[in-house]
């Protein structure tokens, strides 16, 4: 993971991924409003390497997680963040391999592409097992994420992974025991989809 420095917060600039809205509605006779965002749907994949009995994850810096780690009283509307007081490591997460649905392709095709780009494994589409779909970010976006499971072997690794273009992603491996220890912590720097995928794996594929 590259060293992160000079973090500056600014008001929202033009975005091709986020579109903010305010919804007005009447519920039980009362008028209400709710701010929301529209974002792309996504896929996430639980990857298990059967050659060495390890789960494959990605680690990356998430600006929103970093910003959320700063106490409210120290958050500035804009300006440079004191990274000595709030180290960038606070924004580094462990996640399932995942990606947005921004192409008119079957979800399995997009999942296959993400596995190759982020983790370096070339997985046949027929080896992807669909786990299910669920709402993500219900308070702000309500986007749909679809989870898959696949098993890989060392000989299926054809690239280093790490993402494409401006992505900076580290591929990490954890044994089942290491994953169990990780999710038993009081503070887990991973999204709910990670927890869902791991618990699904432990319940359905542990043996």
């Amino acid at each position: 993971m590259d060293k992160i420095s000079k973090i500056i917060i600014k008001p929202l600039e033009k975005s091709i991924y986020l579109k903010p809205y305010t919804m007005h509605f009447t519920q039980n006779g009362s008028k209400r409003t709710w701010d929301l965002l529209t974002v792309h749907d996504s896929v996430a994949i639980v990857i298990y390497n059967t050659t060495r009995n390890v789960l494959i994850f990605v680690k990356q810096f998430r600006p929103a997680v970093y910003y959320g780690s700063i106490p409210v009283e120290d958050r500035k509307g804009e300006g440079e963040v004191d990274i000595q007081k709030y180290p960038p490591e606070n924004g580094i997460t462990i996640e399932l391999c995942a990606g947005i649905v921004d192409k008119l392709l079957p979800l399995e095709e997009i999942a296959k592409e993400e596995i190759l780009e982020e983790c370096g494994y070339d997985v046949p589409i027929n080896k992807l097992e669909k786990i299910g779909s669920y709402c993500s970010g219900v308070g702000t976006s309500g986007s749909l994420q679809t989870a898959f499971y696949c098993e890989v072997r060392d000989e299926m690794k054809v690239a280093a992974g790490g993402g494409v273009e401006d992505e900076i992603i580290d591929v990490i491996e954890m044994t089942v025991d290491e994953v169990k220890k990780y999710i038993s912590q009081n503070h887990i720097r991973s999204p709910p989809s990670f927890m869902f995928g791991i618990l699904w794996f432990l319940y359905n594929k542990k043996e």
Side-chain angles (χ1 to χ4, degrees), residues 135-160:
C135 291
S136 177
V138 293
T140 53
S141 67
S143 60
L144 191 70
Q145 184 168 83
T146 301
F148 293 91
Y149 170 77
C150 72
E151 295 180 354
V152 300
R153 297 189 60 80
D154 281 350
E155 56 265 28
M156 296 167 67
K157 180 120 180 177
V158 298

Side-chain angles (χ1 to χ4, degrees), residues 15-21 36-41 140-143:
S15 173
I16 60 174
Y17 297 110
L18 303 176
K19 293 182 180 179
Y21 295 91
L36 53 92
L37 299 169
T38 60
V39 301
H40 287 292
D41 291 338
T140 53
S141 67
S143 60

Side-chain angles (χ1 to χ4, degrees), residues 49-78:
N49 184 311
T50 59
T51 303
R52 286 172 290 106
N53 297 320
V54 292
L55 286 149
I56 311 296
F57 304 118
V58 296
K59 185 167 68 170
Q60 57 191 313
F61 177 73
R62 292 295 197 181
V65 173
Y66 175 73
Y67 188 68
S69 72
I70 301 173
V72 175
E73 60 271 18
D74 282 358
R75 295 181 194 174
K76 301 176 182 179
E78 56 184 298

